[in-house]
């Protein structure tokens, strides 16, 4: 009953756009359950975490764009300081997510999909830190992202090639190489491998698999096309 109440309140907090509360309710769910979350609960967790950081990520980008605008050059120092403040908040939010998943979720992961899901999630939140960091913080976040994306990739090999968690991992790990590492060739290789594997097995998909997989396949294709074009221009 307690778990059902917490899940319900997490949904209420989501509707009320109280995302810190939503994450706290979900943390209580994780801690009160002996077993892992089910797929629906994991998806709710994913939404809660993403919503927690989305306004900070958006704010950081907005202030960064204003800072770079020649029209507002006289205020660039003030914008830089404000952007740094937002970046610190974002880092703290991401570390909250990483700690919850590392300390409470990963050890309960009951199957290969759950293990891949959680390792990918840790990698994602290190990536979000790395996107907005510099110096030692950037180095630490980059190392954390690589470590957990690679762990997720090992477990993902045990899933079907068109599994949406496996494809989502390939999408995010390739974006990490493009955005954070500025390694376009590596990003292209990861995206191409995922697409090729999924294509070879596409006839085996049932309707539910297909619905989840095809939207990620489209994103992989779009990214690959843009990255290849950019890579050719750079050569």
């Amino acid at each position: 009953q307690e778990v059902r109440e917490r899940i319900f309140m997490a949904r209420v907090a989501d509707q009320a756009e109280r995302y810190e509360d939503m994450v706290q309710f979900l943390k209580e769910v994780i801690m009160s359950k002996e077993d892992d979350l089910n797929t629906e609960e994991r998806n709710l967790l994913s939404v809660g975490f993403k919503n927690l950081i989305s306004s900070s990520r958006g704010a950081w980008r907005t202030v960064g764009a204003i800072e770079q605008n020649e029209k507002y050059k006289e205020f660039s120092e003030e914008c830089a300081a404000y952007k740094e403040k937002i970046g610190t908040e974002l880092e703290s939010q991401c570390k909250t997510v990483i700690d919850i998943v590392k300390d409470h979720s990963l050890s309960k992961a009951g199957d290969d999909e759950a293990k891949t899901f959680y390792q990918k999630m840790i990698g994602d939140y290190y990536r979000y830190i790395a996107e907005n960091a510099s110096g030692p913080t950037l180095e630490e976040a980059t190392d954390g992202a690589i470590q957990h994306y690679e762990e997720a990739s090992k477990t993902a090999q045990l899933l079907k090639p068109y599994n949406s968690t496996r494809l989502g991992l390939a999408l995010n790990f390739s974006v990490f190489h493009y955005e954070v590492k500025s390694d376009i060739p590596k990003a292209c290789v990861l995206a191409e491998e995922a697409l090729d594997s999924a294509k070879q097995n596409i006839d085996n998909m049932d309707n539910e698999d297909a619905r989840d997989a095809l939207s990620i396949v489209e994103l992989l294709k779009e990214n690959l096309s843009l990255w290849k074009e950019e890579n050719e221009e750079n050569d």
Side-chain angles (χ1 to χ4, degrees):
Q1 181 63 23
E2 187 189 341
V3 168
R4 285 181 64 234
E5 283 172 7
R6 300 292 93 183
I7 292 280
F8 178 77
M9 291 311 299
R11 292 188 191 282
V12 171
D14 185 20
Q15 291 289 311
E17 297 182 6
R18 297 270 299 180
Y19 300 123
E20 286 186 6
D21 294 343
M22 183 182 182
V23 167
Q24 183 57 37
F25 286 134
L26 290 167
K27 183 180 176 182
E28 288 166 12
V29 170
I30 295 165
M31 292 177 75
S32 64
K33 283 186 78 166
E34 286 183 23
D35 300 324
D36 188 20
L37 303 181
N38 62 38
T39 304
E40 187 187 347
E41 291 163 349
R42 278 208 304 268
N43 290 339
L44 191 62
L45 189 71
S46 190
V47 168
F49 287 161
K50 204 67 172 281
N51 286 339
L52 176 70
I53 67 156
S54 64
S55 66
S56 296
R57 283 183 89 202
W60 192 91
R61 287 197 197 102
T62 300
V63 175
I66 295 167
E67 180 197 359
Q68 298 301 316
N69 192 321
E70 280 294 310
K71 206 162 53 167
Y72 309 117
K73 196 161 65 173
E74 64 177 300
F75 304 113
S76 63
E77 279 186 29
E78 288 78 4
C79 284
Y82 189 39
K83 191 177 77 170
E84 191 176 331
K85 175 180 180 285
I86 296 165
T88 303
E89 283 175 15
L90 177 60
E91 184 187 342
S92 172
Q93 289 166 338
C94 288
K95 283 184 172 172
T96 296
V97 172
I98 289 165
D99 289 345
I100 290 171
V101 180
K102 273 187 178 178
D103 297 346
H104 304 293
S105 299
L106 203 49
S107 59
K108 294 178 184 176
D111 57 31
D112 294 324
E113 178 151 17
K115 287 171 191 168
T116 305
F117 179 91
Y118 290 129
Q119 291 285 9
K120 169 188 168 292
M121 186 177 266
I122 297 168
D124 286 341
Y125 283 82
Y126 274 123
R127 169 165 65 91
Y128 300 145
I129 295 172
E131 283 173 353
N132 307 300
S134 57
T137 305
L138 172 60
E139 195 177 326
E140 182 191 324
T142 301
D143 290 346
I146 290 171
Q147 180 194 335
H148 290 281
Y149 277 143
E150 286 182 346
E151 283 295 326
S153 298
K154 284 179 203 164
T155 320
Q157 292 304 308
L158 303 167
L159 305 175
K160 293 170 185 173
Y162 50 81
N163 174 280
S164 58
T165 302
R166 177 170 167 172
L167 283 169
L169 168 63
L171 176 68
N172 291 12
F173 199 8
S174 62
V175 167
F176 166 81
H177 280 287
Y178 176 78
E179 295 275 357
V180 177
K181 299 289 286 178
S182 301
D183 188 344
I184 300 177
K186 178 68 173 173
C188 288
V189 166
L190 284 171
E192 268 184 327
E193 283 177 354
L195 283 170
D196 289 345
S197 296
K199 270 184 213 159
Q200 288 165 19
N201 292 270
I202 215 148
D203 294 336
N204 300 324
M205 284 198 265
D206 62 32
N207 287 340
E208 195 170 330
D209 286 332
R211 191 182 62 243
D212 293 339
L214 290 173
S215 59
I216 303 171
V217 163
E218 284 308 309
L219 290 170
L220 282 163
K221 281 181 182 171
E222 284 172 28
N223 286 352
L224 191 55
S225 173
L226 290 168
W227 295 342
K228 280 186 168 179
E229 200 176 303
E230 188 177 334
N231 208 29
E232 283 164 13
E233 286 170 7
N234 292 343
D235 286 346

